[in-house]
Each structure stands twice: as structure tokens, then as C-alpha cells.
Amino acid sequence: MTDLRELRKLEPQFFRAPSAHNTQPWVLDYGPEAVVLGFDAARALPAGDPTGRDLYLSLGAFVEAVLIAARDTGMAVEFVPETEPEAMRVGRFVLASTPYETDFTQADLERRQTSRLGYAPGRLAADELAAARDELADGSALHELAARDVADLYVAGDRHLYDSSPVVEELRSWLRLSRRHPRYEQDGLSYECLVLRRPEAAILGVLLRPHVYPLVRAFRVQRLFTVATASMLATDGSVLVLSGSTETPAQVLAHGRALLRVWLALARRGLHTHPLSQILDCPDTEQALAARLEATSGARPLSVFRAGRSEPPPRSSRLR
């Protein structure tokens, strides 16, 4: 019988799972017959993600990454969801009679990357969209919009973010704007991944300081922060929106698993993604986006991201 503690050796592969602000909130408790998945409350984002949407999407992506990595080595593992938010428990990995059914591999996990670099003009081809939609879970949908059509929502959502002091303070704690930061090689958003030069990162660090930022807001300097991404959306391109039911954490967890599969399917075709979560973090822009989608009754937007071709971006850091 397989000892599930052997999963530990696969951490370099499944710890590549995506998470908001690169917080990597997952916690594993290894045992021979079960590996319990929980999350670290200190790595949640209560200000920016009060509903836990991004948290459970990240945890769902992590579940999928574990199952893919295990399948690639021939280990027969399945996941049993047991979402208990108060206990910070998500579920457990247990031995299965057959390996997980997937054609994704550890190489696919390594290939997937978020890119905030410039994207080549052009919308996704029909076969690329079809391949992504083939990975959806029951009750979810993947909508494709012109990048230009959501540029206004992104700008409004981003301004909403920077107008919230608690959200800015939370963001500040996950920024790695210097290589001297003690957690630079472990987690968070490095200035390279944010496509900032060192002088730009240093200036941003000063502007976000607690005693400086009130002045930044007073003079609306923070509106300059949106320029780079807004200009990216002004070009011809595709923005994809994953929608589905969000009544329970278990449902969001399942959508997170599907979201990773969608990103892996796109990455196989040489495509990168760039999350635009600010649109969903602002109630007004979330409602405006939902109104533009032909979503089924009860479905809500769960993830918004630019998809297309860019130059290879820098690698984000990981805990392991």
C-alpha cells in the first residue's frame, strides 16, 4: 500500500499552484493513509477577499495540482472535500483504487505562468477557447470578452482598491519591492513579476508607506498605478471570465480546480494569463461585469483574466 507521506516529495511541483498575491495559503498535515488540507488564516486576505472567493479558488487550484502531480508518478490519490471554514479545514487526500483521470502532467504545472508583460494583439482562436472550455466543471461557464470592453471596469475597480486603506495595507504586506525583503524568495509579489524596474519599485514602496499614502490619496496620485494594465487592455485581445454558483465554499473549491485546468490548457498552447481580480473586488464593477455576461441564473463571476501571448515572465517565488 502506498504511504501518502510520499506526496511530500512532489511539493516542488504542486506548490506551483496559483494564489492571490502569491500568498500560498495551503497547509498540509501528512499521514500514511490521509493528508489533510487546511489553510493558514495569516495567509488569507480578509480586507481584499472578505468572502473567501480567492482563497477557495486558490485552494481548489492547489487540490488539482496535487492530483496532477500524483497521477504523473502513478500514485492513486483522490480528494475528499470537507470544507470547514471555522476550523480552517478544506478536505483530505486519501488512497484511491485508480489514479486520477487527467492528461495534464508535472510539466504542465511548471509551464503555467502569470504574465504582466505586454501581450501580442489578437483574440483567442476558436480551438484555444474550446480547449479551455473542455476543462470546465459542471455548473461553470467560460465567457470571452474583448479586452477593450472591460478596460473601464478594470480602471474603476483598481481605483476602488487604492481608495481602501485596509486593502492597501494588506497589499503592502505582500509586496516584495526589494531583494533585501526577508521573504523575497518565499512568497508575495516581487517587483520583477509586477514588471517594475528597481527605481520604480523603490518609488512605489515610498508612496505606499502608511505616513505617505494619505497624501497620495489626497492628490489622487494612485490613479497613475493603473496606467500599465489599462494600456494593455486597450489593445485587441481576449479577457476570459469564469462564472458559476458560489453558494458554498465547496462549490468555489470545485471552480478553483476547473480554473487551474483552464489555465493549464491555455499554457499548453503557449498562452499566458493575467488575473484582473480588481474588477470582482469592487461591488459596482462586479455587478456591471455580470450584466455583460450571458450567465445562467444564480451564477456569478468568479475569476477575470487576460489571456494571450507574451514574452516569458519572471518566475514567482515559492515557499518550497
Side-chain angles (χ1 to χ4, degrees):
M1 179 179 290
T2 301
D3 186 333
L4 282 181
R5 287 174 294 190
E6 294 180 17
L7 280 174
R8 191 187 299 272
K9 65 184 180 183
L10 301 178
E11 286 182 352
Q13 283 73 49
F14 58 68
F15 268 59
R16 296 301 311 171
S19 57
H21 291 359
N22 193 26
T23 56
Q24 304 166 69
W26 33 79
V27 176
L28 294 175
D29 183 10
Y30 288 92
E33 297 181 357
V35 178
V36 176
L37 173 62
F39 64 88
D40 183 350
R43 292 182 170 273
L45 302 168
D49 182 33
T51 66
R53 180 197 69 237
D54 283 338
L55 172 65
Y56 279 95
L57 286 176
S58 297
L59 291 166
F62 181 79
V63 168
E64 193 70 16
V66 171
L67 295 176
I68 290 170
R71 173 64 180 86
D72 203 26
T73 63
M75 295 179 66
V77 178
E78 63 181 330
F79 179 72
V80 181
E82 297 168 339
T83 53
E84 301 175 35
E86 296 300 323
M88 294 175 288
R89 180 184 172 97
V90 180
R92 54 197 169 92
F93 297 96
V94 298
L95 297 169
S97 57
T98 58
Y100 179 54
E101 291 188 13
T102 181
D103 65 347
F104 292 119
T105 66
Q106 294 180 31
D108 290 306
L109 297 175
E110 181 69 19
R111 183 183 297 114
R112 182 210 63 82
Q113 283 188 270
T114 293
S115 175
R116 294 176 176 84
L117 298 171
Y119 280 68
R123 295 174 71 166
L124 299 190
D127 62 315
E128 293 168 336
L129 281 170
R133 286 173 172 147
D134 283 345
E135 303 301 332
L136 295 176
D138 291 340
S140 62
L142 191 66
H143 313 264
E144 192 260 351
L145 301 172
R148 291 189 183 97
D149 291 345
V150 299
D152 61 325
L153 299 182
Y154 173 80
V155 171
D158 211 43
R159 289 177 177 175
H160 173 82
L161 181 158
Y162 285 109
D163 282 339
S164 172
S165 295
V167 174
V168 171
E169 181 179 354
E170 190 174 73
L171 172 63
R172 185 192 304 118
S173 70
W174 290 101
L175 291 176
R176 309 293 181 249
L177 299 177
S178 168
R179 290 180 177 271
R180 294 191 299 273
H181 193 286
R183 301 192 65 84
Y184 179 84
E185 296 184 354
Q186 298 179 50
D187 54 20
L189 299 167
S190 71
Y191 71 90
E192 289 100 336
C193 288
L194 292 173
V195 198
L196 295 173
R197 294 187 291 270
R198 287 188 180 184
E200 294 171 331
I203 292 171
L204 179 61
V206 171
L207 294 177
L208 293 181
R209 288 176 181 173
H211 63 285
V212 175
Y213 194 69
L215 295 175
V216 171
R217 287 187 59 192
F219 290 98
R220 298 186 176 183
V221 177
Q222 77 274 20
R223 296 195 172 194
L224 298 175
F225 300 164
T226 68
V227 171
T229 305
S231 63
M232 177 189 72
L233 294 175
T235 62
D236 180 41
S238 292
V239 166
L240 303 184
V241 183
L242 176 71
S243 67
S245 178
T246 61
E247 295 179 2
T248 67
Q251 288 176 326
V252 182
L253 190 79
H255 293 311
R257 294 181 59 177
L259 180 61
L260 179 62
R261 294 195 299 270
V262 166
W263 285 355
L264 295 180
L266 294 173
R268 272 191 173 181
R269 287 155 179 80
L271 300 167
H272 292 86
T273 54
H274 178 181
L276 306 170
S277 301
Q278 293 95 319
I279 294 174
L280 301 183
D281 295 337
C282 172
D284 290 342
T285 52
E286 179 191 11
Q287 292 176 13
L289 177 64
R292 299 180 188 183
L293 305 178
E294 296 180 1
T296 58
S297 178
R300 297 182 62 182
L302 286 157
S303 179
V304 186
F305 52 95
R306 175 76 161 88
R309 288 174 171 79
S310 81
E311 294 298 318
R315 283 283 179 187
S316 57
S317 300
R318 287 297 189 268
L319 289 172
R320 291 175 175 80

